[in-house]
Amino acid sequence: MTSRILCVLALLSVGLTAAATSAQASVPNRWGFALVNITSGVPDPAHQAGSWSAGFNVSVTPGGVGQTYVRFPQLAVNGGVVHVTAISDTAYWCQAQKWAPSGADMVVAVQCYRYGGAPVFTPYSIVFEQSTGTLPAPQAFGYVHYNGAGITSQFNSAGAVNTVAGGAGVWTVQLPGLGSSGYAGNLQVTSANPAQPARCKVGAWAPSAGTQAVQVRCHNATNAPLNSGWSLTYQRERAITGGALPPGRFGYTFDNTPANPGPYAPVPPAVNYNSASAVNTVQGAGLGLRLVTFPVVGALQDNVQATAYGPGPEYCNLQSVWNTFGGSVYVRNVVCYNAATRVDRPSMVSYTSRY
């Protein structure tokens, strides 16, 4: 088993090296998402979709303890970004280790941990996305994959070049050309570390007319700052899957006042977007627990991602699988932790369906 895992990780390393030379290659947009609720086989068909041809499915194979390999069919391409959100009633998180083409497919190695660093399997929600092209304002989309030393993959829908500065657990990302006069859009951040436990989040956000400036913070298996790889995606009036033809049903929100018992609609409205022009709401469900509702846009197959926001070491996951019912989506709940204790903290949530 150990030799097989090392072999797969070596192949993934080769793919990542190639990605560094083709961050915005001229290839079709490719995306896929899945709810991984098993360690082997085809995961939940109600929560997987992608830009592949009909008749294909996402599949999963086991690795070491807490490790799984997710195969997205027909998505072989260099670059792109991966986001992963753990689904658990416990202080768990999941991180992308590496991803790279394997034949015609894209393979992502995912590792999950409990607080303190012990590996453990837990269900998780995952999305892979690679984009090209430009978008008309006010729509905007951009991403960065940073490997701990430099940018290996990036995209900017204004055609500009994203930059990263900093280190030792704190970085500032500039997304020029995607700026806004106030807070608008949504951010997702996921750690990408093949060697050790790592949690990454949005530390701060400063929009301006010329750029989106975003701080990324990473911590180790406990709460110490860590130099790690990570992926960041910024979306504004676009689904997290990006692409030339986005789905019509998606939404995102920023729970920026987590002490508000709600239900409340986060403000400004531009951080609480719903593609059906409905109003998303957030409501307290107990200490550290937030019920998020996306009205009207719900449709299978679908995906939810969540990330923590703020300067501390806190992190967030999903307490259970979201429910899509009567055209609405109920995320019950986003749950945030400081160490292994539930706490009320800001978070960002992104929902998309395949349609």
Side-chain angles (χ1 to χ4, degrees):
M1 176 66 74
T2 300
S3 61
R4 181 172 69 86
I5 295 169
L6 292 174
C7 180
V8 173
L9 289 176
L11 290 172
L12 291 172
S13 297
V14 171
L16 284 176
T17 301
T21 65
S22 58
Q24 287 184 243
S26 297
V27 295
N29 300 316
R30 304 185 188 191
W31 61 272
F33 60 69
L35 166 62
V36 177
N37 56 347
I38 55 175
T39 60
S40 181
V42 176
D44 191 348
H47 298 294
Q48 62 163 279
S51 56
W52 49 78
S53 304
F56 288 86
N57 292 293
V58 175
S59 60
V60 183
T61 55
V65 177
Q67 183 186 50
T68 43
Y69 296 98
V70 184
R71 181 174 291 268
F72 290 103
Q74 297 189 311
L75 297 192
V77 65
N78 291 321
V81 287
V82 172
H83 291 292
V84 186
T85 301
I87 303 173
S88 174
D89 192 31
T90 309
Y92 293 171
W93 80 89
C94 297
Q95 65 195 58
Q97 291 184 300
K98 297 183 179 182
W99 60 93
S102 175
D105 306 331
M106 175 63 71
V107 175
V108 184
V110 176
Q111 178 71 58
C112 300
Y113 297 96
R114 68 175 74 243
Y115 181 79
V120 62
F121 175 76
T122 186
Y124 58 85
S125 175
I126 182 171
V127 58
F128 167 79
E129 195 279 323
Q130 183 273 342
S131 282
T132 61
T134 58
L135 292 173
Q139 297 179 34
F141 194 84
Y143 59 70
V144 172
H145 172 53
Y146 183 84
N147 69 356
I151 295 174
T152 61
S153 176
Q154 66 165 298
F155 172 73
N156 183 303
S157 65
V161 177
N162 308 318
T163 62
V164 176
V170 184
W171 301 263
T172 297
V173 184
Q174 298 285 350
L175 304 170
L178 306 186
S180 54
S181 59
Y183 289 96
N186 187 265
L187 294 156
Q188 292 294 316
V189 172
T190 296
S191 57
N193 194 313
Q196 61 182 309
R199 306 191 316 268
C200 299
K201 63 185 294 190
V202 180
W205 180 19
S208 66
T211 188
Q212 298 289 341
V214 185
Q215 183 188 82
V216 174
R217 288 181 174 266
C218 295
H219 295 84
N220 66 5
T222 54
N223 282 348
L226 176 70
N227 189 58
S228 177
W230 43 263
S231 288
L232 173 146
T233 294
Y234 172 73
Q235 60 182 124
R236 187 167 78 235
E237 299 186 21
R238 302 287 288 194
I240 195 171
T241 49
L245 296 173
R249 295 175 179 239
F250 66 94
Y252 49 76
T253 195
F254 180 13
D255 181 15
N256 46 29
T257 55
N260 187 335
Y264 85 105
V267 292
V271 302
N272 192 42
Y273 184 82
N274 182 297
S275 65
S277 299
V279 178
N280 312 319
T281 59
V282 183
Q283 182 175 356
L287 181 63
L289 301 174
R290 305 294 281 173
L291 167 63
V292 181
T293 302
F294 294 99
V296 184
V297 294
L300 299 177
Q301 293 82 7
D302 56 2
N303 185 269
V304 173
Q305 295 293 321
T307 194
Y309 180 94
E314 298 86 2
Y315 57 104
C316 303
N317 62 28
L318 302 179
Q319 187 180 28
S320 61
V321 177
W322 59 96
N323 183 25
T324 306
F325 178 76
S328 294
V329 179
Y330 304 92
V331 182
R332 189 184 299 274
N333 298 291
V334 176
V335 53
C336 298
Y337 296 92
N338 185 357
T341 301
R342 290 179 183 171
V343 290
D344 291 327
R345 291 295 185 274
S347 63
M348 293 180 162
V349 186
S350 182
Y351 169 82
T352 189
S353 78
R354 70 173 301 171
Y355 298 106

